[in-house]
Amino acid sequence: IGMGIGSATGIMIANKLGAKDIAQAISYARKCMVVAGVFSVVMGLLLIASAPFILSFFDISDTVKHDAFYILVVVGLCMFLKTINFATIVGILRSGGDTKFCLLLDTASVWLIGVPCAFLGSYFLHLPIYYTVLLVYSEELFKFFVSIRRVLRNGWAKSVID
């Protein structure tokens, strides 16, 4: 759903930017971020609530079921960040032609935050997998603050068509 919201956001905004309707593109960006936020919270809560049901389909040990349950809880809790990031980075910033910034943000967050956190959590701290997954989600938190700031400054809102 997050990828779909991000793609739809990009299409709607690129259409307005192509028509040189910058004000409407900015308005769409704000509204799409709200929609993405609301849907992601609802879907995250549904994932958490349905986690025991989902896991009941699998013949797995209690230890694996325990870990998988908490991973689903972490994913459900962090769904807001992931979905907003899809909307802002994939949908809004890329549609305005801010692709180099998006590339740098995605690359830096994965290689400077996500991968080191995974290594730190699993190798050095020996955390359970669900805590390591939560630690890796710090990359999404970083992207959230950086991309929201970039969107709210409206520098992305330019037509890439002359």
Side-chain angles (χ1 to χ4, degrees), residues 44-56:
L45 292 174
L46 284 173
L47 177 62
I48 293 167
S50 64
F53 176 71
I54 293 168
L55 294 173
S56 71

Side-chain angles (χ1 to χ4, degrees), residues 67-68 71 74 122 126-135:
D67 289 352
I71 290 171
V74 167
S122 62
H126 305 287
L127 296 174
I129 189 166
Y130 43 89
Y131 284 133
T132 302
V133 170
L134 182 61
L135 195 57

Side-chain angles (χ1 to χ4, degrees), residues 54-65:
I54 293 168
L55 294 173
S56 71
F57 287 104
F58 301 95
D59 184 25
I60 51 180
S61 71
D62 288 340
T63 304
V64 172
K65 191 174 284 193

Side-chain angles (χ1 to χ4, degrees), residues 99-113:
T99 55
K100 287 180 187 173
F101 174 80
C102 294
L103 172 68
L104 288 173
L105 179 59
D106 278 335
T107 304
S109 63
V110 168
W111 289 105
L112 299 177
I113 299 171

Side-chain angles (χ1 to χ4, degrees), residues 6-155:
S7 297
T9 298
I11 292 167
M12 291 170 48
I13 292 173
N15 187 15
K16 289 300 173 186
L17 290 174
K20 309 244 189 279
D21 191 353
I22 306 298
Q24 190 64 43
I26 292 170
S27 174
Y28 279 6
R30 304 286 193 277
K31 290 174 184 172
C32 286
M33 286 192 304
V34 170
V35 168
V38 169
F39 271 105
S40 64
V41 168
V42 170
M43 295 306 295
L45 292 174
L46 284 173
L47 177 62
I48 293 167
S50 64
F53 176 71
I54 293 168
L55 294 173
S56 71
F57 287 104
F58 301 95
D59 184 25
I60 51 180
S61 71
D62 288 340
T63 304
V64 172
K65 191 174 284 193
H66 173 268
D67 289 352
F69 173 79
Y70 283 108
I71 290 171
L72 289 173
V73 169
V74 167
V75 171
L77 292 174
C78 296
M79 194 172 291
F80 174 80
L81 294 172
K82 192 92 165 155
T83 304
I84 291 293
N85 289 341
F86 273 125
T88 56
I89 296 167
V90 175
I92 298 167
L93 297 175
R94 285 185 188 172
S95 65
D98 212 354
T99 55
K100 287 180 187 173
F101 174 80
C102 294
L103 172 68
L104 288 173
L105 179 59
D106 278 335
T107 304
S109 63
V110 168
W111 289 105
L112 299 177
I113 299 171
V115 171
C117 281
F119 189 71
L120 176 70
S122 62
Y123 186 72
F124 285 111
L125 300 177
H126 305 287
L127 296 174
I129 189 166
Y130 43 89
Y131 284 133
T132 302
V133 170
L134 182 61
L135 195 57
V136 170
Y137 265 102
S138 62
E139 104 182 43
E140 295 295 335
L141 188 62
F142 172 76
K143 287 194 291 190
F144 173 80
F145 286 115
V146 172
S147 65
I148 289 291
R149 182 172 183 228
R150 186 85 164 188
V151 167
L152 294 178
R153 289 188 169 189
N154 298 333

